[in-house]
């Protein structure tokens, strides 16, 4: 510093999309101005990658190894709240900060502005000679708006040479047209819904929260069809009015065309969409336009939380209980919980909406941390469906079938009234298990510990874990006997087969995510809504988001299905799913019926659904959670240790277990072989960390990982804080 000739080189930490524990240091070239949040291109080994300049100190680094930033992108910096959020997310989930940055940066072409396209604009001069074609062109362009050459010719219905002629005469001048916004700005006054009294009261509370600003969480708790969407749209309108950006998270965004239409009905334009089915070019545009503030409202899947909003002022999490909010890939996080954190960091309100809130949110509302807003009735004259269980012990299906006489009769009555029935079974394919009747051989995935599921439409046996598939053989591979393979249990395809036999004149559609792409599904859902099917057989994707006006019967083929899997949330999940599915019926005022086929009609879940007394069910579940110290009364973390061989995985898991610190508040369970002991050829063990509500689970796990053996060879350790899955 004392020598004039010595100019200290500026060094900054950069988060690169890598599983590194710390940011890497880079030199800032002369004349480049970077700050925390700047998006830059940096060399990384032999490659160049995009990274985010972060704040904080840099590691000391050998000057010879120090490499300069290659480029500062022409892009606004990620804002300070977002940087804080990223840091928080990495800390909380025990993920390398670079992997969180990677989630922000997965839009390679969006860091430079989209280039303007060449266009033409009316220059104010009349052509020397007017023709009909020229008049049509001028009529369109006279207001001075810029057009592309081909766009203008096409719109005017003339050949491009007509336009060229006008250019030659100086009637049009060349201009550059900036990239167009992917969606128009929402208009808060476009078509405000006339809310019912109860809806009005709920909306007012949300609007107040947005007006007041500051962090708050509201739990919008209303039965299916009560108009939660209409209600939170008013909060969205308020936030837009305040000049804020809004994020609406939806669990199954790719399938919620209806949601986008409803948004359009209310605001006169669609929201920006964000999900994994967007074309890459569109993803990049949406990302860039969110960053630049052109897009004011995003409707997105969980990953939309990592979009670079600059003025975020409200997040709505619709169907907040939905398990799809949990990401279990690289960075394991729950988008519902992260949304609340994002609101806290950005100091703005968060709305959680559900007909069947998660136990966590129920408890938070019960203890006053969240503001509970109730909607008790369905909108307008629509009544809730009449719900009944069918005791399968007393009313069994005919041999080889899965539909009880009572359900068959209800479907017949519905067909007779020319209304729609939904048969729900959360199992893809034809049969979940295939075995040989002679030797008992079961078809299992070679790489996973799961049975192969027969998909008869595709003629294959498929592993639902890894996608492995093989043709269904004629002969048993074990004993060689021909034609003695039997399908055990039903999947949707098998129910469809039974329905086709039982109701030969009905139009039947099977909806299952494996049978069609998102585009097809959207079309099918629209067709159903228009009444083009009588019986719809589907997995859980039919439970979400769609309103079928003519659907008056919902039959749950196997209501017990989710109860038997040893997951502490099994009852809660089953309750939520069954409420949601049966809630599909009778949305538009017709008398409707929900029937649950069950072997356990006295199970608390069935009772709660049939009686409509969800409160008693929740109270009981909450009590049970509290007694066993499970979330939200205690904390869980889980470590999944996997390796190419069973012994490596087990040894590593045991060594980690031994490295666990001693804590009066935290205990370690396991290692135990995971219920899914083998996935994609990797053997899996689990450790479960259970702590009290105040326990520092993350600190404990970090200490364990630091003291234990490092990942080496084929061994991988995945941390899952607040695990949802125990498989
Ligand atoms: P939820 O999200 O609570 O299940 P929705 O918001 O989907 O309920 O509303 C159910 C149906 O009732 C939708 O078709 C919706 O358009 C209609 N609806 C609800 N409230 C109103 C309202 N105030 N005005 C007009 N239609 C409404
Ligand atoms: Zn497999």
């Amino acid at each position: 510093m004392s020598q004039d000739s010595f100019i200290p080189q500026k060094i900054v930490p950069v988060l690169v999309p890598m599983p590194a524990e710390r940011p890497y240091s880079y030199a800032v070239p002369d004349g480049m101005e970077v700050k925390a949040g700047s998006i830059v291109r940096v060399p990384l080994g032999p490659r160049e990658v995009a990274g985010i300049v972060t704040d904080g100190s840099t590691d000391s680094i050998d000057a010879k190894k120090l490499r300069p930033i290659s480029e500062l992108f022409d892009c606004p910096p990620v804002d300070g709240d977002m940087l804080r959020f990223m840091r928080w997310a990495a800390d909380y989930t025990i993920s390398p900060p670079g992997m969180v940055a990677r989630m922000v940066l997965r839009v390679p072409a969006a860091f430079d502005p989209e280039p303007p396209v060449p266009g033409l604009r009316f220059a104010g001069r009349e052509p020397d000679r007017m023709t009909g074609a020229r008049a049509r062109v001028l009529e369109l362009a006279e207001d001075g708006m810029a057009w592309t050459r081909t766009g203008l010719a096409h719109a005017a219905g003339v050949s491009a040479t007509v336009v060229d002629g006008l250019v030659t005469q100086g009637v049009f001048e060349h201009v550059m047209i900036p990239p167009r916004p992917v969606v128009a700005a929402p208009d808060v006054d476009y078509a405000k819904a006339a809310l019912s009294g109860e809806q009005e009261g709920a909306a007012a509370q949300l609007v107040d929260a947005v007006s007041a600003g500051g962090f708050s969480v509201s739990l919008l708790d209303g039965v299916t069809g009560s108009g939660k969407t209409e209600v939170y749209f008013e909060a969205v309108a308020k936030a837009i009015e305040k000049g804020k950006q809004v994020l609406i998270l939806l669990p199954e965004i790719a399938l919620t065309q209806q949601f986008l239409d409803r948004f359009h009905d209310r605001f006169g334009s669609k929201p920006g969409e964000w999900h994994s089915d967007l074309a890459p070019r569109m993803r990049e545009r949406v990302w860039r336009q969110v960053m630049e503030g052109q897009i004011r409202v995003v409707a997105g899947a969980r990953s939309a939380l990592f979009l670079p909003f600059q003025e975020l002022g409200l997040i709505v999490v619709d169907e907040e209980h939905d398990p799809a909010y949990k990401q279990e890939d690289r960075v394991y996080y729950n988008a519902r919980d992260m949304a609340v954190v994002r609101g806290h960091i950005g100091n703005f309100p968060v709305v959680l909406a559900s007909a069947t809130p998660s136990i966590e949110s129920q408890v938070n509302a019960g203890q006053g941390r969240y503001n509970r807003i109730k909607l008790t009735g369905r909108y307008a004259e629509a009544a809730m469906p009449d719900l009944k269980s069918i005791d399968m012990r007393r009313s069994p299906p005919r041999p080889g079938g899965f539909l009880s006489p009572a359900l068959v009769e209800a479907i017949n009555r519905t067909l007779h009234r020319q209304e729609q029935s939904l048969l729900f079974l959360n199992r893809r394919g034809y049969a979940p298990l295939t075995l040989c009747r002679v030797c008992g051989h079961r078809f299992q995935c070679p790489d996973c510990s799961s049975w192969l599921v027969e998909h008869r439409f595709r003629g294959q046996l498929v592993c639902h874990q890894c996608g492995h598939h093989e043709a269904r053989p004629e002969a048993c591979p074990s004993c060689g006997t021909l034609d003695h393979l039997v399908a055990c249990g039903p999947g949707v395809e098998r129910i469809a087969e039974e329905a086709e036999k039982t109701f030969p004149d009905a139009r039947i559609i099977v909806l299952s995510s494996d049978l069609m792409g998102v585009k097809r599904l959207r079309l099918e859902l629209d067709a159903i809504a228009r009444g083009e099917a009588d019986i719809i057989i589907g997995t859980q994707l039919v439970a979400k988001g769609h309103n079928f006006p003519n659907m008056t019967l919902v039959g749950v083929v196997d209501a017990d299905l989710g109860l038997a899997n040893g997951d502490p949330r099994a009852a809660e999940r089953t309750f939520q799913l069954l409420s949601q599915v049966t809630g599909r019926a009778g949305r538009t005022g017709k008398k409707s019926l929900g029937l649950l086929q069950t072997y356990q009609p006295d199970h608390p879940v069935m009772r709660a659904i049939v009686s409509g007394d969800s409160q008693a069910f929740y109270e009981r579940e909450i009590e049970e959670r509290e007694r066993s110290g499970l979330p939200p009364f205690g904390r869980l973390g889980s470590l999944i240790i996997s390796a190419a061989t069973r012994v490596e995985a087990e040894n590593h898991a045991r060594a980690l277990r031994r490295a666990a610190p001693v804590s009066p508040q935290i205990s370690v369970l396991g290692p135990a072989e995971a219920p899914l002991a083998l996935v994609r050829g990797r053997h899996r063990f689990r450790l479960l960390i259970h702590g009290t509500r105040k326990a520092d689970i993350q600190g404990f796990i970090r200490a364990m990982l630091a003291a234990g053996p490092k990942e080496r060879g084929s061994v991988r350790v995945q941390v899952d804080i607040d695990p949802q899955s125990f498989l």
Side-chain angles (χ1 to χ4, degrees):
M1 290 286 185
S2 56
Q3 279 172 285
D4 287 354
S5 60
F6 177 70
I7 302 165
Q9 200 171 16
K10 197 173 169 229
I11 301 173
V12 291
V14 176
L15 289 172
V16 291
M18 286 259 304
E21 279 314 314
R22 308 226 344 111
Y24 291 173
S25 299
Y26 287 91
V28 183
D30 284 345
M32 187 185 281
E33 295 270 346
V34 299
K35 59 184 236 178
S38 293
I39 300 183
V40 293
R41 191 155 53 81
V42 292
L44 184 70
R47 303 178 294 146
E48 297 235 303
V49 296
I52 303 176
V53 177
T54 168
D55 37 24
S57 60
T58 50
D59 291 337
S60 62
I61 178 168
D62 181 352
K64 281 204 244 50
K65 285 203 188 133
L66 188 67
R67 299 167 80 180
I69 292 174
S70 321
E71 182 191 356
L72 168 63
F73 286 107
D74 182 1
C75 182
V78 171
D79 89 342
D81 286 350
M82 187 65 189
L83 284 179
R84 265 195 301 271
F85 175 60
M86 289 166 61
R87 196 169 310 129
W88 194 94
D91 257 8
Y92 187 85
T93 60
I94 314 189
S95 304
M99 293 310 276
V100 176
R102 181 177 168 276
M103 299 198 290
V104 178
L105 294 173
R106 286 171 68 189
V107 279
F111 308 135
D112 280 318
E114 202 180 325
V117 292
L120 301 171
R121 189 168 55 202
F122 182 52
R125 274 181 56 180
E126 294 296 319
D128 51 8
R129 186 173 55 83
M130 191 60 92
T131 64
R134 285 179 169 180
R136 283 203 296 282
V137 172
L138 284 177
E139 194 183 327
L140 285 172
E142 245 162 11
D143 62 359
M145 287 284 290
W147 289 78
T148 62
R149 171 177 169 269
T150 48
L152 181 55
H154 186 76
V158 304
S159 85
T161 53
V162 175
V163 177
D164 294 342
L166 291 168
V167 174
T168 318
Q169 290 191 15
V171 176
F172 280 98
E173 60 191 2
H174 292 281
V175 290
M176 293 307 277
I177 308 176
R180 299 204 322 143
V182 295
V183 287
D187 173 1
V188 295
D189 298 318
Y190 184 75
K192 203 168 176 292
L195 299 181
S196 71
E198 190 180 44
Q199 290 177 339
E200 193 67 64
Q205 288 190 59
L206 294 181
V207 167
D208 284 350
V210 176
S211 299
F215 172 66
S216 63
V217 184
S218 303
L219 178 61
L220 181 58
D221 173 358
V223 296
T224 52
S226 57
K228 294 184 289 294
T229 317
E230 309 292 335
V231 168
Y232 71 63
F233 275 174
E234 294 318 299
V236 172
K238 190 62 180 181
I240 297 170
E241 234 171 59
K242 282 185 72 175
K244 299 293 185 188
Q245 287 176 300
V246 178
L247 171 59
I248 304 172
L249 291 175
L250 300 164
E252 208 73 52
I253 175 73
L255 300 176
T256 45
Q257 189 59 43
Q258 270 189 349
F259 176 87
L260 303 177
D261 294 342
R262 283 177 71 181
F263 189 92
H264 190 282
D265 290 345
R266 170 64 185 85
F267 293 105
S269 67
K270 294 208 170 163
E273 263 181 87
W274 182 262
H275 52 78
S276 56
D277 286 304
L278 283 186
R281 197 72 205 89
M282 191 51 144
R283 275 174 76 83
E284 283 155 1
R285 283 210 178 116
V286 171
W287 191 94
R288 181 80 195 188
Q289 295 187 8
V290 166
M291 176 68 120
E292 290 181 346
Q294 277 132 295
I295 294 181
R296 306 310 297 172
V297 181
V298 172
R302 58 188 184 222
S303 59
L305 268 179
F306 294 94
L307 281 170
F309 291 96
Q310 302 275 5
E311 299 166 305
L312 193 55
L314 173 68
I315 303 179
V316 177
V317 186
D318 203 349
E319 310 288 5
E320 65 92 29
H321 64 277
D322 200 293
Y325 284 124
K326 178 77 188 224
Q327 161 152 311
E328 292 174 348
D329 177 30
R330 291 195 175 89
V331 179
Y332 282 38
Y333 68 91
N334 185 322
R336 186 247 336 234
D337 299 341
M338 290 284 165
V340 171
V341 172
R342 183 73 180 85
H344 190 251
I345 288 175
N347 199 32
F348 58 75
V350 177
V351 177
L352 309 178
S354 175
T356 50
S358 60
I359 298 278
E360 281 82 352
S361 296
Q362 291 278 17
V363 171
N364 278 320
Q367 297 179 344
R369 274 189 295 275
Y370 296 176
N371 173 32
R372 189 196 301 272
I373 303 173
K374 272 258 186 201
L375 291 172
T376 53
R378 278 195 161 178
Y379 175 69
E381 73 277 33
M384 294 298 283
D386 194 8
L387 298 171
K388 296 199 177 96
S389 56
I390 296 174
D391 185 342
M392 298 295 274
R393 295 165 306 187
R394 297 227 218 117
S395 175
R398 58 169 183 72
F402 301 93
L403 306 176
S404 67
L407 182 53
V408 169
E409 200 195 310
I411 297 169
N412 270 322
R413 281 198 304 266
T414 310
L415 285 171
H416 195 72
R417 288 196 310 269
Q418 299 188 335
E419 292 169 355
Q420 291 173 314
S421 305
L422 168 66
L423 294 180
F424 171 77
L425 177 63
N426 210 8
R427 254 199 200 136
R428 293 181 282 136
Y430 182 83
L433 172 67
T434 303
L435 56 77
C436 170
R437 214 177 317 179
V438 176
C439 73
H441 173 82
R442 297 169 164 217
F443 284 83
Q444 190 175 0
C445 176
D447 299 323
C448 304
S449 44
S450 52
W451 306 125
L452 294 179
V453 178
E454 181 180 358
H455 284 244
R456 204 160 271 192
F457 295 169
R458 285 161 59 183
Q460 284 175 328
L461 298 171
V462 180
C463 171
H464 283 184
Q465 281 309 316
C466 71
H468 164 90
H469 52 87
E470 51 192 69
R472 186 182 192 272
E474 309 265 286
C476 172
S478 180
C479 69
T481 315
L482 268 176
D483 293 332
H484 273 73
L485 301 179
V486 284
C488 298
V492 279
E493 293 178 8
R494 195 166 189 182
I495 298 302
E497 183 182 88
E498 184 175 350
E500 274 157 18
K501 280 197 202 118
T502 317
F503 314 101
D505 298 327
R507 297 165 301 167
I508 296 174
I509 288 189
V510 181
L511 284 185
S512 176
S513 56
D514 58 306
L515 293 177
M516 45 193 98
V518 164
K519 278 215 182 80
R520 257 297 292 293
L521 265 175
R522 282 186 172 185
L523 292 176
E524 296 275 13
L525 289 165
D526 289 344
I528 295 168
R530 284 196 306 271
E532 290 171 19
D534 303 310
I535 301 176
I536 297 96
I537 298 166
T539 56
Q540 64 172 349
L541 63 89
V542 296
K544 291 180 187 176
H546 257 257
N547 286 333
F548 303 116
N550 200 33
M551 185 173 285
T552 56
L553 173 67
V554 170
V556 177
V557 175
D558 184 354
D560 308 330
L561 186 59
L563 287 174
N565 64 5
D567 175 337
R569 289 190 180 83
E572 179 193 348
R573 290 263 187 267
T574 304
F575 173 76
Q576 287 160 341
L577 188 57
L578 296 183
S579 305
Q580 203 167 11
V581 175
T582 52
R584 294 291 108 200
R587 288 246 169 176
T588 43
K590 289 184 177 143
K591 196 165 150 27
S592 62
L593 179 63
L595 293 175
L596 311 175
Q597 296 197 136
T598 173
Y599 288 89
Q600 315 170 57
D602 294 325
H603 192 286
V605 169
M606 305 310 153
R607 283 219 181 123
I609 300 274
V610 169
S611 68
D613 186 0
S614 59
Q615 191 156 348
F617 172 75
Y618 273 116
E619 276 167 15
R620 194 175 150 279
E621 277 296 302
I622 289 171
E623 227 168 75
E624 211 146 280
R625 292 269 184 100
E626 185 160 23
R627 202 176 44 238
S628 43
L630 287 171
F633 301 99
R635 303 201 55 207
L636 290 176
S638 133
L639 298 182
I640 302 139
I641 300 97
S642 65
T645 63
R646 191 177 182 282
V647 62
E648 271 181 293
E650 181 164 21
N651 286 345
H652 196 91
R654 284 190 192 290
L656 275 180
R657 169 75 179 84
R658 283 192 299 272
V662 177
S663 160
Q665 285 151 0
I666 300 177
S667 54
V668 182
L669 304 159
E673 189 161 53
L676 273 173
L678 184 69
V679 173
R680 293 172 199 274
R682 297 183 63 79
H683 297 261
R684 304 164 78 239
F685 278 77
R686 278 182 165 274
L687 286 167
L688 191 64
I689 322 301
H690 183 194
T692 58
R693 205 175 124 68
K694 292 269 170 338
D696 177 10
I697 289 262
Q698 281 89 349
F700 185 91
I701 294 176
R702 276 202 191 86
M704 204 168 153
L705 293 173
K710 302 286 152 290
E711 289 176 323
R712 67 184 122 75
S714 68
V715 176
R716 293 290 168 271
V717 178
Q718 176 65 53
V719 179
D720 185 0
I721 302 292
D722 309 328
Q724 299 272 331
S725 161
F726 297 85
L727 293 177

